[in-house]
Amino acid sequence: MEDAYARSVTEVLDFFGVDPTKGLNDSQVAQHARLYGKNVLPQEKRAPFWKLVLKQFDDLLVKILIASAVISFILALINGETGLTAFLEPSVILMILAANAAVGVITESNAEKALEELRAYQADIATVLRNGSFSILPATELVPGDIIEVAVGCKIPADMRMIEMLSSQLRVDQAILTGESCSVEKELESTTAMNAVYQDKTNILFSGTVVVAGRARAVVVGVGTNTAMGSIRDSMMQTEDEVTPLKKKLDEFGTFLAKVIAGICVLVWIVNIGHFRDPSHGGFLLGAIHYFKIAVALAVAAIPEGLPAVVTTCLALGTKRMARLNAIVRSLPSVETLGCTTVICSDKTGTLTTNMMSVSKVCVVQSVQHGSVIAEYNVSGTTYAPEGIIFDSSGMQLEFPAQLPCLLHIAMCSALCNESVLQYNPDKGNYEKIGESTEVALRVLAEKVGLPGFDSMPSSLNMLSNHERASYCNHYWADQFKKISVVDFTRDRKMMSVLCSRNQMQMMFSKGAPESIISRCTNILCNDSGSTVPLTDSIRAELELRFQSYAGKETLRCLALAMKRIPLGQQILSCDDEKDLTFIGLVGMLDPPRDEVRNAMLSCMTAGIRVIVVTGDNKSTAESLCQKIGAFDHMVDLTGRSYTASEFEELPPLQQTLALQRMALFTRVEPSHKRMLVEALQHQNEVVAMTGDGVNDAPALKKADIGIAMGSGTAVAKSASDMVLADDNFATIVAAVAEGRAIYNNTKQFIRYMISSNIGEVVCIFVAAVLGIPDTLAPVQLLWVNLVTDGLPATAIGFNKQDSDVMKAKPRKMHEAVVTGWLFFRYLVIGAYVGLATIAGFIWWFVYSNEGPKLPYHELMNFDSCSTRETTYPCSIFDDRHPSTVSMTVLVVVEMFNALNNLSENQSLIVIPPWSNMWLVASIILTMLLHILILYVHPLSVLFSVVPLSWAEWTVVLYLSFPVIIIDEVLKYFSRNSSGLRFNFRFRRPDLLPKRELRDK
C-alpha cells in the first residue's frame, strides 16, 4: 500500500481486512503471503566466475597481445622450434594478462558486498498480533496487514502505519534512512503534504530504523522490496559503476594505439612483399611467414605490456600514502579520480558535523537588583565525551562552574530529568549514547559543570578511567536524589517532569520546550545569590527574546529547565503539579560543525572545487551550519543557492540546470534525490564525489564518480563506496584530492615515458624492415625491455614529489587527454631518436666496429641474397648476436636517460635533479644490474639471445644514448618559453586521443 501515510487508520485497516484487536488469522496470513511475497530482500544473481574472467580480456590491446602470443607460438612450431624458446614469449604475455585479470576479478567481486550488507539492517524478530494473541515471530514471516507492537530499542521489521499510541509519544531514530540529526516524533494523523518525502511521512515507521522512546502499535503496509530499504536496494542494483576518467582515457588511448599498431603491422608486411621470394627464406610462403613474424614482433614492441601493472602499482602507492591521511581507498582507480573532482556533494550529519548533539550555550538570569541582567555561558566540546570548558560572556573560563547556583541546578535537572544513558565503548575508543541525543547532551553538560564543594574537582575527574568518567557526576546526583514519580513528555504539554526526594525534601525538576516551561513559571533562580524572586513580565519578555534568537538566527535546539518544591509525602506527580515553577535556565544545543571543516572549505574554493551540502535536515538548520563553515562564501542573499528537494523538483528543466550551477545546499532530501543530484551534475560534465554514512546514501555513493563513506557509517555505505574516511572528517577529503592530483601528474609522466619508449621500439623495427637489414631485436628481447627495463623506472616515476601548488590549479577537465598533441609530438621526437639510435648501434657493429666484419653498407642491405652471391665474408655473420646485443643495450640505456627526463614535464634537470627522486635513481641502477646480469651470465644470455659486450662497445652505447637528454631539454625549453612554437607544432586536433562523441557518430 503506497499511500498509507495519506489514509486514515480505519482506511488502512479496512484495506487489509484486519481487526486491530485480533490481528490476521491463519488463512489471511497465507493469502497475503501469496499476494505480497516474503519480508526479505532477495539475493541478487551474481555473474558466473567464468563471465567475470572473460570480461577482463574484453579489451582491444589485450586481444592483440593474445593473438600475438598465439601467432608467435604457431610460427615457432612452423619453424621447428621446441622447448623453452618456443614457449617463452607467449608464456610471458599470457602470465601478464592473467595477473591483470586476477586483479579485475577480485575488484568486481568486492563490489557485490554492498547489497549483502543491506540485509543486516533488517530486524530479526517482531511482536505480532495474530488470531487474537501476541507472539514473537521471525521478521521474515511478516505480511502486510500484520499488527505489530514496538517499544524502545526495537528495530522496525517492515514499513508500518501507526494505528495506536501506547505511551505519551513515540520517537524513532531514522538517520540511516533520512540523515536527520535528531530522532523524529511519530503520530497517528494522516499526512496531507503533497509529494511527501520520507521526512513528511510522520505516521510511517520505516524498516531498519530504531525506536528510541515510547511504545505503539502499527500495521504492516510494506514488506521486502516494497519497503523504503527495498527501494534503496533496487536503486543500487540499477546503478552501474562509473568508469573513472583515467580508465576512460587509457581505454581510448588503447583503442587508438591498437588501430595504429594494426595499420603499421599491415604496412610493414606489404612493404616487404618484394622480399618474400628472397632465397634466404626458402620460398614465397616462408618469406611471407618471416615478415609476418616481424609484424607480430612490431605489435609486441608497440603495446606497452607493463602499462596496466605500472598504473596499478602507482595507484597502490598512492593508496598507502592516503591511508596515512585516514583515507582508506577501496577502489584503486578512485585515487586518480579524486584529482579531477569538480563537485563534492557532502552529507551534513556526521561529515561536516560531529553527529553528536552538544550544549553550546546556557542562558540564566544573573541578577534582578538593578533591572534584569541575563548571563550567557558558552560551552566547549563537540562530542559525547565529558570533556569541555564553560566560558562566561567575556570569554573567561569558569574554574568551578558548580559554585554558581543556576549552573549547579541546571546540572541537577539535566542529570535527573533524563532517561538516556552515556557510556564508554572500549572497543571503539569513544563515548556512545543510548536514547535521545538531546537528553545525552544534557548528561554531558552535567559532567562539564562538575560537582560542588571540591576544590580539586576538575583534576580529580580527569584521574578517573574513561568508563568511570562517562557518567560520574550523573551517578552522583542519582545517588543524592531518589526518583519517586515521573510525568512523561506529551505533545500537548511539550515537557516532562520528575519527582525526587533528598534529606527530607521533595523537589520536582522539569524540562521542555521554552514556551511551555516559561509560561508555567512564576519565579526565577538568580545566579549571583541563589535566591528565588518573582518572574516579572519584563524578564519573561527578555527570556523569550533570547530564546527566539537562539532558535532563529543561531538555529539551536532549545530546552528550558525549571524546578519546584513539592510537599513532603507526595508520591504521585501529575500534570496539575506543573505550575508555579521556578525558572533555572535555558540551554541551546546543536549538532556542531567539525573544527577543521571551515579551512577545508576554503581549500576547496581555492582549488576550484564546488561543495554542495546535501542533507535530510530542515532548511533553516542547514543554512545556519553552512554559513558557519563558509559554504555560502560569505553571501547574505541565499536566493538560488539553497533549495529543498521539493522546491528543486518544481523548477522548470532550464531553471534546474541553472540552479545546479549555483547550488550550495540541498535539504529535505531522500535517497532518490541524492542519486538524481549526482546524475544531473554528471550530465553537466562534472566529476562528482559524494560523501555519506547512512543506508540512504548508498545508491548515490555507488552512482558518483567517487563515493566516500564515513568510517563510523553503516556497512552498506562503506561497501558501496570507493573510499572510506577513517576519521569521518571532511578535511581529509581535501588532503586526498591533493594526493589524487599528484598521483595523476605522476601517472601522466610514466605513461609518456612508456609511450616514448614503445615508439622507439616501433621505429627501430619499422626502419629496419624498410631498410631491408636483418632483424634488429628478437621478440623475447623486446619483451625484456618492455617488462623489466621499462617497468622499474616507470614505477619509480610514481614517487615524484607533489608540486607545492597542486591545490592552486583548477580541476582538469574530464575530456582532457592524457597526452596532448604537443606532448605527443615531443615524445614522437624522443621516440624517433630512441629507435634511430637503436638502429645506429646495430649498423655500427656491422660497418664500423673493430670487432665486426666492417661490411659495406649495401652488403648489409642485401643480406638476404648472401647465399646466392660470391662474398668475402661468411653468411653466418648475419646470425651473430653481437649487433642485436648492442642494439638492445642502446635501447635500455637510452630509456634510462629518458626516465630522468620524466622527473618533470617541463622543468629542466638542472632545476629538478635526479636525486630529487632517489627511488628513480635506485630503479635505474637495479635495471642496469639486471641487464648486465643477462649479458654476462651464460644461461640467461642464451635465453635472451645476447652476448657480453666489450668496453669499446659500451662506449658507443653511451655516445648513442646520452643525446636523448639534450633533445628533451631543448623541447622542455620550448614548452616553458615559446608557447607560439608549441601551437605551431600542434596537430589539427588539440589532443591525441579520439573524442568519445566523435567515435559515437
Side-chain angles (χ1 to χ4, degrees), residues 19 136 201 229 233 286 302 339 365 376-377 395 437 451 459 487 540 601 623 682 808 815 852 915:
D19 182 344
I136 296 176
K201 299 174 183 178
M229 244 2 134
R233 169 197 171 273
L286 291 175
V365 177
E376 190 174 88
Y377 298 97
S437 53
L451 300 175
S459 56
V487 180
R540 190 187 303 274
M601 283 280 178
E623 284 180 349
Q682 287 173 336
K808 293 178 182 175
H815 56 74
W915 51 88

Side-chain angles (χ1 to χ4, degrees), residues 431-450:
Y431 292 88
E432 292 181 338
K433 71 177 176 81
I434 298 176
E436 276 289 339
S437 53
T438 51
E439 291 200 332
V440 178
L442 291 176
R443 287 215 180 275
V444 175
L445 176 64
E447 296 297 327
K448 291 175 182 177
V449 171

Side-chain angles (χ1 to χ4, degrees), residues 39 41 118-125 139 150 153-160 172-178 205-211 222 224 227-230 232 695 714:
N39 186 31
L41 294 178
L118 201 56
R119 280 189 283 277
Y121 288 88
Q122 291 182 288
D124 296 323
I125 56 173
V150 295
C154 282
K155 187 182 285 185
I156 307 297
D159 280 8
M160 304 190 296
V172 177
D173 181 355
Q174 54 187 39
I176 65 162
L177 187 67
T178 62
L205 306 179
F206 295 107
S207 174
T209 59
V210 179
V211 178
T227 62
M229 244 2 134
I232 289 175
V695 173
T714 61

Side-chain angles (χ1 to χ4, degrees), residues 114 118 228-229 231-240 670-676 678-679 690 694-704 716-717 720:
L118 201 56
M229 244 2 134
S231 66
I232 289 175
R233 169 197 171 273
D234 293 342
S235 179
M236 288 172 70
M237 286 190 68
Q238 292 164 10
T239 302
E240 294 182 6
E670 56 183 38
S672 60
H673 294 131
K674 293 188 176 187
R675 190 171 182 270
M676 174 271 292
V678 171
E679 288 177 340
M690 167 63 81
V695 173
N696 59 318
D697 299 317
L701 289 174
K702 194 173 180 187
K703 178 64 182 171
V716 180

